[in-house]
Each structure stands twice: as C-alpha cells, then as structure tokens.
Amino acid sequence: GETAGDAAAAAEAAAALNIKIHTVPVTRSLDNTEVLLEGINAPDTVPVSTAHEITVLAKSSAAAEGIITIFRDGVYYGEDRVVLEPGLNAFPYRSVLDTPGPHSYEAVLDSFDDSTVTNNTAVAVVTAAGQVLTLDHAVEALIQPRRLL
C-alpha cells in the first residue's frame, strides 16, 4: 500500500522516462536488523548551474552502519559512510546540474547489518531548467546601460 507521497504520479513520471519499477514485499523480521531506503527527497526542477540539495531517507530497525553510494545519470557520484539510528534517518547531499533536462539520482545503501538487500535502492529525477548565457566583451559593451540627458 501507499504510505507517503503519490505513488501513481511517481509511476507515471518514471514511465515517461522509460524507468522500470519493480515492487518488493517488505516484511519485518524480529530477529534481524533491517535497513532500507525510504526514498530520495529532491526538487522537481532546479535552475541550470545552481546548487540544490537531495536528501536520502533511510530507515533502520536498530542501530546500524552502512555506506550510501550515489549515482547521477548512471555515473558514480560519491559515497558516504553513515551511522543509522533506529527509525528514519536523513542524509543530505548537494549537487549542481550543468546541462538542461532530466537527470537521475540513484542511492544504494550497503550494510553488513541488513537482513534484506532488495529494498536498499532509491531513485529520484530532477529536471535542470533554463540555459546558461555567456556574453563576450563586444556584446556586453552593446548592452551597457546608458545615461539619459
């Protein structure tokens, strides 16, 4: 069942980008620690070449350690060793998108304390909007403000 957000709208957006969605039943074992990625909070749209934040949301049934690896547009972007407290944990990351259009972020959580690894991936799509405008000195001189007499 749907517990947060709008799953139908997210599925439609993913389908428009040819992203496949796989569902996995989540069960909780009382004997084992379970860590999972709840999702990635990210803005829908950001201006090109402007810093923005994505936040990886991870849940854990007990204290645990792990490594979050981030991929942007399918390319390794970085990783972070994290300590998970019981409950929901938020890990913010900054990024800048220099080319217009949709860009994907994928987070993968690896933990030795985890009992089920099939729920340790989350994806978000951010669209960089706008164009980068550069002026050379000749054009810049033409558009300088003029003082009226």
Side-chain angles (χ1 to χ4, degrees), residues 38-51:
E38 176 91 357
I40 300 175
N41 281 348
D44 292 328
T45 305
V46 296
V48 170
S49 300
T50 302

Side-chain angles (χ1 to χ4, degrees), residues 86-128:
L88 186 62
N89 299 261
F91 302 100
Y93 299 93
R94 290 180 58 86
S95 183
V96 175
L97 299 171
D98 292 325
T99 56
H103 297 272
S104 65
Y105 289 96
E106 179 181 11
V108 178
L109 174 60
D110 290 314
S111 175
F112 290 115
D113 302 313
D114 194 11
S115 60
T116 306
V117 298
T118 56
N119 54 9
N120 293 4
T121 303
V123 176
V125 175
V126 176
T127 299

Side-chain angles (χ1 to χ4, degrees), residues 1 13 17 26 34 40 44 49 59 65 67 97 101 108 123 135:
L17 295 169
V26 178
E34 175 57 23
I40 300 175
D44 292 328
S49 300
K59 277 188 177 176
E65 293 183 11
I67 297 174
L97 299 171
V108 178
V123 176
L135 300 175

Side-chain angles (χ1 to χ4, degrees), residues 36-39 56-60 68 84-85 87-91 109:
L36 62 95
L37 287 184
E38 176 91 357
V56 177
L57 301 174
K59 277 188 177 176
S60 184
I68 294 176
L84 299 159
E85 300 297 328
L88 186 62
N89 299 261
F91 302 100
L109 174 60

